[in-house]
Amino acid sequence: MTVQERLTDGLYGLGWGTVKKLPEPVAARLGRTVADLAWRQRGKGVRRLEGNYARVLPDATPERLAELSRAGMRSYLRYWMESFRLPAWSAERIRAGFDPKDLHHLTDGLAAGKGVVLALPHLANWDLAGAWVTTELKTPFTTVAERLKPETLYDRFVAYREGLGMEVLPHSGGSAFGTLARRLRDGGLVCLVADRDLSASGVEVTFFGETARMPAGPALLAQQTGALLLPVTLWYDDSPVMRGRVHPPVDVPGTGTRAEKTSVMTQALADAFATGIAEHPEDWHMLQRLWLADLDPGRDPARPGKATA
């Protein structure tokens, strides 16, 4: 383990070990302070966040984008402060912490017994939404987690999410898809963060007028298992309660090849995500490159052989 990896693991350990013990108002103030400090330093992540917001709001002035990126960093640190504290929240606090609209799409889908796939973008706090599902709806679900370095950090995240009632599968290794499909065929629930996939298997979509890639998994799972595919968007307001919306189902097209159906369904997910992001851009925590125009062509795994511009 490198020095940087040990430092990263130690900082996350400090967060889960210390922040969860702070009174909620103190944790909230700490989050805002750290967010404002990071925003003023204008590091790589903040600049990327601002550039992504410029795609969402192409007519925004530089002053508006700066204001939005500050709010975005505050929202991002609210996510982390909540996440560090979630293991210490009571069941009552979790139930009171999330207010989803149009929940009938999910509850009706689960009652039908065919399985449900929830697909979410990086909006607000998806871990809190998951904890609410396991606590309020008393419905376990399965998700996947990208393997992180160091391995101890990955283990921390898995333990954290399993402690909230989730079954967590590693993204790598090739067996996750099969396990997810089995859970759905048994009538279970699968939740996937699905607004970014820059690998060669990502599906190209039009997102805020430009080309991006999103994962094929949600659409493929719905096709292969007959499960319901539901987009979900989340947002914060000025209260301690996170808001959310379960969007209408994304139907499997009646005709076309598997690839064509996957493309149509993934575009429908992207459109639902765009609706939620456009309404609450400051809660979209995308501090990484997303659009293909922002990638170095020589490093794009889906476009081998291209020279670097």
Side-chain angles (χ1 to χ4, degrees):
M1 188 188 300
T2 67
V3 172
Q4 181 63 43
E5 288 174 345
R6 285 198 298 272
L7 177 61
T8 300
D9 181 60
L11 287 173
Y12 280 100
L14 181 65
W16 272 302
T18 302
V19 173
K20 72 179 181 181
K21 300 176 183 177
L22 297 175
E24 196 156 339
V26 175
R29 285 197 301 272
L30 175 62
R32 289 193 297 271
T33 299
V34 174
D36 289 349
L37 177 61
W39 178 76
R40 286 194 296 270
Q41 290 179 338
R42 292 196 59 78
K44 182 179 178 181
V46 173
R47 296 195 306 273
R48 176 52 55 195
L49 181 67
E50 206 163 285
N52 290 339
Y53 288 158
R55 291 299 205 324
V56 176
L57 298 171
D59 296 329
T61 63
E63 292 78 14
R64 170 59 179 145
L65 289 175
E67 176 185 83
L68 192 59
S69 66
R70 184 182 187 186
M73 290 304 295
R74 286 188 168 193
S75 175
Y76 185 47
L77 264 294
R78 175 174 171 175
Y79 157 74
W80 278 114
M81 293 299 108
E82 287 180 348
S83 295
F84 288 143
R85 291 176 50 76
L86 261 175
W89 280 14
S90 67
E92 290 75 18
R93 177 66 181 89
I94 291 172
R95 292 189 187 101
F98 182 41
D99 177 27
K101 301 177 183 296
D102 299 325
L103 189 64
H104 66 277
H105 293 305
L106 172 57
T107 54
D108 290 351
L110 290 172
K114 294 184 178 180
V116 176
V117 180
L118 295 180
L120 306 89
H122 286 78
L123 273 169
N125 191 339
W126 47 96
D127 286 325
L128 172 55
W132 188 89
V133 167
T134 61
T135 303
E136 175 66 17
L137 300 185
K138 301 188 185 307
T139 301
F141 66 87
T142 306
T143 188
V144 297
E146 183 179 355
R147 284 204 173 275
L148 303 171
K149 290 184 178 181
E151 189 75 14
T152 51
L153 180 57
Y154 171 77
D155 292 340
R156 286 186 191 276
F157 272 96
V158 170
Y160 157 64
R161 291 184 170 129
E162 288 180 342
L164 298 176
M166 312 175 193
E167 179 188 23
V168 183
L169 307 175
H171 187 272
S172 58
S175 63
F177 188 91
T179 302
L180 295 173
R182 287 193 295 275
R183 299 292 183 268
L184 292 169
R185 291 190 181 101
D186 289 338
L189 177 63
V190 165
C191 300
L192 301 170
V193 178
D195 57 345
R196 183 178 185 269
D197 184 353
L198 300 182
S199 72
S201 62
V203 178
E204 291 194 1
V205 296
T206 300
F207 196 53
F208 292 102
E210 294 192 44
T211 303
R213 284 199 207 101
M214 295 185 181
L220 288 173
L221 285 166
Q223 290 176 59
Q224 293 192 19
T225 68
L228 199 65
L229 175 57
L230 299 175
V232 177
T233 54
L234 310 170
W235 67 93
Y236 291 128
D237 57 19
D238 293 331
S239 77
V241 180
M242 184 177 72
R243 313 296 174 176
R245 176 175 290 111
V246 182
H247 294 253
V250 172
D251 295 327
V252 178
T255 60
T257 65
R258 184 172 70 172
E260 289 168 343
K261 292 178 181 179
T262 301
S263 178
V264 169
M265 295 173 73
T266 307
Q267 182 63 61
L269 284 180
D271 293 343
F273 294 166
T275 298
I277 292 167
E279 291 174 350
H280 305 279
E282 68 279 4
D283 294 321
W284 188 40
H285 307 149
M286 185 55 67
L287 280 73
Q288 299 169 297
R289 295 180 182 182
L290 177 72
W291 282 273
L292 301 195
D294 292 334
L295 300 181
D296 177 350
R299 297 177 181 271
D300 185 348
R303 283 167 164 70
K306 284 199 172 186
T308 302

